[in-house]
Amino acid sequence: MHSIRPSTASVRAIGRRSTHTASSARQLSTSTTRIQSTSRPLLLTSNRRTAPVVQACPALQDLTITRPSPLQIRNASSTSSSEPLAKTPLYDLHISHGGKMVPFGGFHMPVQYTGLSVSQSHAFTREHSSIFDVSHMVQRIFTGAGAAQFLQRVTPSNLQDLPAHKSTLSVLLQTDGSGGIVDDTIITRLPDRSGDEGVRFYVVTNAACRDKDNAYFDAEMAKWNAESGHEHLQVVQEQLDGWGLVALQGPEAEAVLHSALDNPAELDLKQLYFGQSGFAQLKLKGMRVSSPLLISRGGYTGEDGFEISIPQGETVDVTEALLHIGGPEKVQLAGLGARDSLRLEAGMCLYGHDLNDSTTPVQGGLSWIIPKERRSPDAGYYGADVITAQLTPKSKGGSGVPTRRVGLIVEGAPAREGAEIVSAEGEKLGTVTSGCPSPTLGKNIAMGYVRDGFHKAGTELQVLVRGRPRKAVVTKMPFVPTKYWKGIA
């Protein structure tokens, strides 16, 4: 995901209203559920024109649910392998910049660009900044008086106490009580609206899990809304199909974004810390400004950076503006290849590889996402009893876990996904789930799962690479120190 990832978070806050007049309101999938867009007067103090009115879905801060229905039916985008690959709003921009396109998560996505190798793009991000197209991710809005309680049933997070403009990494949990992870996600609380239906959460989930997550949310929301006592705790969901999501990552990301802000006083980036967000407008070509954009401080690279949610029809303009304002010395486009090596150096998981339906948060090294107030068997989320027992090792009376996710430094050839992890005597202890040469460290890094007891840093193991044993040492993650902005230079 995403969007922030393990030891990462996304963000939000409310900004000034956009200067265009919204001309339409869109019906949701039932006749009684509607998203409305409020009208806004034109600013008389600026000669800039705002971007065209977004017809497909209003800006995030204007999402208003008039009446939730017992079963929310969403316009889902299928990622079935039998269907053609979808295109993000930036597809043509990728092609024009020499993007090499590959299938990923049901979309045509750039793996790299002409002129920079994957390792060069990786290094450029660490030294300057890069823009990653993550529009394939699924952006959702959950609204309703019961939104916090509903999300607390399907995740281990404390969302009722999450302040507005704050986000948290979380996981969707299997409904069978096993504690397995359906998907990882970033959840952001948007400012509440007046009335019983004003609680709102912005949720980003993985593209490759779109169909699975859609079915999961449909079933769980139908069950929640139909339960006795929930008449006044209804929840509805809207998928922001067609919206863009770009990640501006790297040490120069703040400077680039600051220069692009239409009104820097509107969103003080020095006071916007990791895991926070706000709304702001960006300067576009032709003396125009964007709609208010949700700008979250976080990302999937371990660097300082931002993820920007962009209404339909504006993604190309916003991305081109960032590239133009930053210039090629400060910011360039980057693809999936660099994103993968960057996230691995940062010790972040990729769902479907490092996490899956049978992995629990404790096994996955994500115990830290479970707050103290939810570490009890009766916490109310799926699998709470299993997960809570796993938090305590067997030696201290708990159930512990059979395997744990670890980082590895591997000598010789790099270890790839599926390579066996064995003891010095050749006994199988686990499997590598991700691995690559680290451009930053000049070493081969990997993560995988090993039997509990072999997970401590410094433990020497072996990895079978093309049948040959290679020395591997368990190493603390992240492999490369993170540089999230927390207010201390």
Side-chain angles (χ1 to χ4, degrees), residues 451-480:
R451 188 185 307 168
D452 186 44
F454 292 86
H455 64 284
K456 295 183 179 179
T459 302
E460 294 188 359
L461 304 171
Q462 295 185 73
V463 176
L464 300 183
V465 180
R466 293 190 290 274
R468 295 183 58 185
R470 304 285 185 177
K471 181 181 177 181
V473 179
V474 176
T475 305
K476 289 184 178 180
M477 295 183 286
F479 297 100
V480 174

Side-chain angles (χ1 to χ4, degrees), residues 94 110-113 121-122 125 130-133 332-339 342:
H94 297 315
V111 67
Q112 67 181 97
Y113 295 85
S121 182
H122 177 116
T125 307
S130 295
I131 295 175
F132 298 84
D133 180 9
Q332 297 202 21
L333 294 170
L336 294 172
R339 189 167 182 254
L342 288 161

Side-chain angles (χ1 to χ4, degrees), residues 90 131-135 139 244-249 306-310 315 318-319 322:
L90 293 178
I131 295 175
F132 298 84
D133 180 9
V134 289
S135 304
Q139 302 179 72
L245 186 64
V246 299
L248 174 62
Q249 301 283 296
F306 306 87
E307 293 191 344
I308 306 172
S309 178
I310 309 169
T315 309
V318 168
T319 304
L322 291 170

Side-chain angles (χ1 to χ4, degrees), residues 90 128 194 216 226 352 372 468:
L90 293 178
H128 303 286
S194 60
Y216 179 91
K372 291 181 179 179
R468 295 183 58 185

Side-chain angles (χ1 to χ4, degrees), residues 416 418-422 426-432 462-465:
R416 304 294 186 178
E420 288 188 4
I421 304 171
V422 301
E427 180 186 8
K428 183 177 179 180
L429 301 175
T431 305
V432 170
Q462 295 185 73
V463 176
L464 300 183
V465 180

Side-chain angles (χ1 to χ4, degrees), residues 12-60:
R12 61 252 105 298
I14 197 120
R16 66 176 163 140
R17 295 186 179 275
S18 109
T19 59
H20 63 260
T21 301
S23 62
S24 66
R26 180 162 69 87
Q27 290 286 340
L28 284 181
S29 51
T30 66
S31 60
T32 58
T33 306
R34 184 174 54 197
I35 289 183
Q36 297 177 329
S37 178
T38 60
S39 297
R40 309 178 184 90
L42 292 172
L43 287 178
L44 300 180
T45 57
S46 173
N47 292 324
R48 293 192 180 94
R49 294 176 290 108
T50 57
V53 174
V54 177
Q55 300 289 346
C57 191
L60 288 170

Side-chain angles (χ1 to χ4, degrees), residues 181-237:
I181 297 173
V182 175
D183 197 4
D184 59 326
T185 180
I186 297 296
I187 302 176
T188 298
R189 185 159 191 163
L190 298 172
D192 294 349
R193 290 199 173 277
S194 60
D196 292 339
E197 298 166 359
V199 180
R200 302 180 303 148
F201 291 91
Y202 170 66
V203 178
V204 179
T205 55
N206 284 299
C209 297
R210 182 186 298 263
D211 288 347
K212 179 174 72 168
D213 291 349
N214 286 346
Y216 179 91
F217 280 126
D218 282 348
E220 288 305 303
M221 287 178 60
K223 182 165 59 176
W224 174 273
N225 287 335
E227 285 179 8
S228 177
H230 288 180
E231 292 81 7
H232 301 293
L233 294 174
Q234 299 289 286
V235 181
V236 294
Q237 176 202 174

